[in-house]
Amino acid sequence: MLLEKLLSHPGFLYQIGPSYYYLGKWICSPCTDQEASDCHFMFHMNLDSQEHPEAAYYFLKLRAMCEFALEVPYNPDKIRRDMEELLARLSPSDLELLTRQFEKFQTAWEDYGQETVR
C-alpha cells in the first residue's frame, strides 16, 4: 500500500496534478515554493536522462527543502490522517503518477540518499 510506503521513508516532494506536496514519515504538507517545484522538474528530467550527478544534486536539494518544511512538534497521527485524506481524494490516474514518482524516489534514495543520513 502506498500510504505505508510513504510513511516508512523520509520526506520528498511529489507532484499531484498541478500541486506539490512534501510527503514522508515526518511530513504531509503542501508546497507552494517555486524553487522546490523547479528542483522537482530538474530532478526527474536528469534522472530520466541518466544524468546521475545532476539528479543526485537535485535529489539532495529536495531532501533538504523537505527537512526545512517540517513542522514542530512532530505529530505522527496527524501526518497519517492528513496523508490518508490526501490519498483518498486522488483519482486513479493521479494515484498511479504518485506511485511512479515514489518508485523513482525509492531508487534515488538507494543510489543517492542513504549515505547522507548515516
Side-chain angles (χ1 to χ4, degrees):
M1 172 179 246
L2 183 58
L3 174 67
E4 296 305 324
K5 290 178 182 180
L6 287 166
L7 289 171
S8 68
H9 285 80
F12 200 65
L13 185 65
Y14 299 94
Q15 184 176 8
I16 301 173
S19 301
Y20 292 85
Y21 292 87
Y22 291 115
L23 302 174
K25 61 183 166 183
W26 299 296
I27 192 166
C28 178
S29 177
C31 171
T32 58
D33 180 9
Q34 181 68 45
E35 182 181 0
S37 61
D38 290 348
C39 284
H40 180 271
F41 172 80
M42 295 301 294
F43 166 69
H44 285 280
M45 183 182 75
N46 285 296
L47 191 63
D48 292 343
S49 65
Q50 303 295 311
E51 298 291 334
H52 293 288
E54 290 83 5
Y57 168 77
Y58 287 107
F59 176 85
L60 295 173
K61 191 169 181 175
L62 286 167
R63 282 285 307 121
M65 289 175 169
C66 188
E67 294 297 316
F68 283 113
L70 292 174
E71 295 179 8
V72 178
Y74 170 61
N75 185 338
D77 294 331
K78 181 182 182 319
I79 292 167
R80 176 179 279 277
R81 275 192 317 274
D82 290 350
M83 202 175 301
E84 286 172 340
E85 290 172 12
L86 175 67
L87 294 177
R89 291 191 313 258
L90 296 182
S91 69
S93 62
D94 284 340
L95 194 55
E96 175 60 31
L97 289 172
L98 179 57
T99 300
R100 284 191 298 216
Q101 289 178 72
F102 176 77
E103 290 168 353
K104 287 182 178 184
F105 163 79
Q106 253 185 320
T107 299
W109 176 247
E110 292 169 9
D111 292 345
Y112 317 130
Q114 292 186 42
E115 291 301 316
T116 63
V117 294
R118 287 186 188 172

